[in-house]
Amino acid sequence: MCGVFGAYSPKGNAVLEEVYLGLYALQHRGQESTGIAWLGENGRIASIRGNGLVHAALDQGELALLPASCAIGHVRYSTSGGSDLGNAQPLISTTSRGSVAVAHNGNLTNAEGLKTLLESRGAIFQSTTDTEVILHLVAHQPHKRPIDALVDSLTRLVGAYSLTLIIDGRLVAVRDPWGFRPLVLGRREDVWYVSSESCALDLVGATTIRDIEPGEVVVLGPEGPRSLRIPLDAKTRRLCSFEFVYFARPDSVIEGKSVYEVRKELGRRLARRGPCTGADFVSGMPDSGTIAAMGYAQESNLSHELSVVRNRYVGRTFIEPTQRVRELGVRIKLNPITRVLSGKSVVVVDDSIVRGTTCQRMIAMIKSAGASAVHMRVSSPPVRFPCYYGIDTPTRVELAAARMNIQQLGKEVGADSLEYLSEEDLVEAIGLGESAVCTACFSGKYLEEGGDVQDVTL
Ligand code: SF4
């Protein structure tokens, strides 16, 4: 999962600090690396990229002094290619028709095939990311105007891509025809913004204008905004349902649906699946299960307590995985409140169980703090299939719910009971309809198997 952001001022106002702030608000979508690219006065694209969090990789003060009025940015969590700096985005290439920069959220499922084809025609790849395929496809059509070459290139892509680009001196935003990842358009005074989530528009004081439509290409240039279509006939829509379960920030709104409200409804529906008799209170795993736990508590007339505290300053980049750290395991991040848990039967709500090891350690930790029983409740259906659309999930054999049934899994993680949300409840809680959302990691119904993908040629 990654986050993209872009800003363009037709009046020439400086926007680099805006992009910095936008990325700051999207930090939850990627912490491995970050970068900003901008259009310089000479028409060339410049960039800064670095490893780690936004504030560590970029210098806000320096960016604020630069006069660029068209810029894009990216926060990365690697799902395709490694996490070295060579894969940090935005990626930039120079073509015979000018420079192009691209920042990508999602994963192309046909990137390998396209890469082989492009290499056979002389393309030399600089990174191991799937995103670079887009730049080479554009560069391979020098006879076309850059935006036309881009739109043509997009028809050859399969999978998830929400993009911000600088191309032909303009800011361009693209959402794949299936709409896997969110992308919104905003505005403040003369400045246009594009963002993975609306929470970043809130931070820069922009008004959310609308979601970029699946299959839409929005071009923001001196002639005003233009909306083009990717000429592909997508039969289904595939907005990632996990954005609502976990990825997106709760203060974001996606396709008119408040992530907070959906998450709370997931908890309510989970409670309706079978009340947990004898439980003293409900507790959400911070922060992923907190909102669903509030919904669960509300629906089941139980109190909602904070029983585990999360150290907010522990990030994956901050701590070395030494033997001592491995021994401490989940306690590095989470610590139970013994006075709350001692002698109590508790309903613990979390967003998902992936490998099962974190859940197992967490339940052991809560029991070691004196809880008499832990009833595990999961606010999504069992994750039985890997995601190929931009989320870093393990292979099928590593997924706990693919290896065993729910009863066995409950035993394995040490829960006194285990209950999941149904796929039907998930889709209904989101409220966009079954044909509008992707549920492949729960159902195994992938885009490629639904007859929705045309043959791709160059
Ligand atoms: S497979 Fe799962 S995580 Fe991946 S896009 Fe679909 S719903 Fe989202």
Side-chain angles (χ1 to χ4, degrees):
M1 187 178 64
C2 299
V4 295
F5 195 86
Y8 168 68
S9 161
K11 289 188 178 165
N13 292 313
V15 296
L16 285 186
E17 194 177 21
E18 303 288 297
V19 177
Y20 177 94
L21 293 170
L23 294 179
Y24 203 75
L26 297 174
Q27 189 75 83
H28 60 290
R29 298 186 73 89
Q31 301 91 39
E32 279 184 14
S33 65
T34 185
I36 294 185
W38 63 92
L39 194 62
E41 281 168 322
N42 53 5
R44 294 183 78 90
I45 295 175
S47 71
I48 298 178
R49 298 181 297 169
N51 281 327
L53 303 179
V54 174
H55 73 87
L58 305 174
D59 185 329
Q60 182 194 352
E62 229 171 68
L63 290 168
L65 295 175
L66 293 168
S69 58
C70 180
I72 60 171
H74 187 263
V75 285
R76 175 171 167 80
Y77 183 96
S78 62
T79 51
S80 164
S83 54
D84 59 279
L85 196 55
N87 287 334
Q89 296 191 23
L91 296 181
I92 298 168
S93 86
T94 305
T95 71
S96 58
R97 306 285 298 257
S99 299
V100 182
V102 61
H104 176 198
N105 175 207
N107 206 42
L108 306 176
T109 52
N110 67 339
E112 275 310 307
L114 286 172
K115 197 174 169 186
T116 309
L117 226 73
L118 285 158
E119 280 174 334
S120 74
R121 297 187 181 188
I124 298 168
F125 280 77
Q126 309 288 332
S127 74
T128 54
T129 67
D130 56 342
T131 311
E132 201 182 337
V133 160
I134 301 168
L135 293 177
H136 284 285
L137 285 170
V138 173
H140 269 69
Q141 304 177 72
H143 50 289
K144 288 188 180 159
R145 288 184 307 175
I147 303 274
D148 294 339
L150 171 68
V151 173
D152 185 274
S153 303
L154 298 171
T155 64
R156 296 153 203 262
L157 306 179
V158 178
Y161 55 93
S162 278
L163 310 173
T164 52
L165 302 105
I166 301 173
I167 183 167
D168 202 20
R170 289 156 175 81
L171 170 65
V172 175
V174 178
R175 197 160 167 218
D176 66 66
W178 305 277
F180 276 102
R181 302 277 149 226
L183 195 63
V184 282
L185 182 67
R187 193 169 187 190
R188 181 175 66 85
E189 296 166 3
D190 77 306
V191 183
W192 290 94
Y193 297 89
V194 184
S195 174
S196 285
E197 287 184 42
S198 64
C199 66
L201 297 181
D202 295 342
L203 178 64
V204 296
T207 306
T208 302
I209 305 284
R210 62 175 175 85
D211 293 82
I212 309 272
E213 288 281 309
E216 188 179 12
V217 178
V218 173
V219 182
L220 299 158
E223 66 283 351
R226 273 191 303 149
S227 171
L228 311 172
R229 302 294 309 176
I230 304 171
L232 252 190
D233 180 24
K235 294 179 188 70
T236 56
R237 290 207 169 183
R238 288 254 172 181
L239 174 62
C240 170
S241 56
F242 231 101
E243 292 279 351
F244 291 98
V245 172
Y246 173 70
F247 303 133
R249 257 175 53 166
D251 50 339
S252 285
V253 175
I254 305 174
E255 298 199 2
K257 303 291 176 187
S258 151
V259 174
Y260 176 85
E261 281 169 10
V262 170
R263 224 163 262 178
K264 208 164 171 195
E265 178 62 14
L266 297 176
R268 279 190 214 106
R269 284 173 181 263
L270 189 56
R272 273 182 237 141
R273 287 183 62 79
C276 194
T277 44
D280 292 301
F281 61 84
V282 182
S283 198
M285 269 308 100
D287 297 317
S288 51
T290 312
I291 298 167
M294 286 161 60
Y296 191 105
Q298 208 173 54
E299 187 68 22
S300 53
N301 281 322
L302 287 167
S303 63
H304 174 239
E305 299 285 347
L306 178 74
S307 68
V308 175
V309 174
R310 181 188 176 92
N311 180 345
R312 293 181 191 284
Y313 305 98
V314 174
R316 29 186 299 137
T317 50
F318 293 167
I319 197 151
E320 288 296 320
T322 60
Q323 182 56 29
R324 178 72 179 130
V325 164
R326 269 193 288 272
E327 280 163 18
L328 292 170
V330 75
R331 273 191 189 259
I332 293 278
K333 265 193 191 170
L334 305 169
N335 197 34
I337 305 177
T338 309
R339 295 279 179 100
V340 175
L341 288 163
S342 186
K344 298 289 197 258
S345 170
V346 52
V347 176
V348 173
V349 180
D350 206 354
D351 67 288
S352 59
I353 297 176
V354 182
R355 288 184 175 85
T357 42
T358 305
C359 182
Q360 192 177 42
R361 287 183 198 143
M362 191 186 70
I363 291 173
M365 183 184 76
I366 291 170
K367 287 198 170 174
S368 74
S372 58
V374 175
H375 300 282
M376 194 69 210
R377 297 293 181 268
V378 184
S379 63
S380 65
V383 177
R384 295 196 170 104
F385 300 88
C387 171
Y388 301 119
Y389 309 117
I391 303 305
D392 185 26
T393 46
T395 57
R396 195 145 192 240
V397 283
E398 293 170 286
L399 292 169
R403 282 188 282 113
M404 54 195 110
N405 65 35
I406 292 174
Q407 217 180 358
Q408 290 166 329
L409 181 53
K411 233 177 170 180
E412 169 106 349
V413 297
D416 293 271
S417 70
L418 170 64
E419 184 81 68
Y420 277 91
L421 197 74
S422 69
E423 210 182 304
E424 199 181 16
D425 272 328
L426 171 65
V427 170
E428 280 177 15
I430 294 170
L432 293 169
E434 198 186 343
S435 58
V437 291
C438 176
T439 56
C441 51
F442 313 118
S443 63
K445 290 179 200 153
Y446 293 107
L447 169 72
E448 291 74 5
E449 285 145 30
D452 205 13
V453 172
Q454 288 106 357
D455 280 341
V456 176
T457 51
L458 280 186

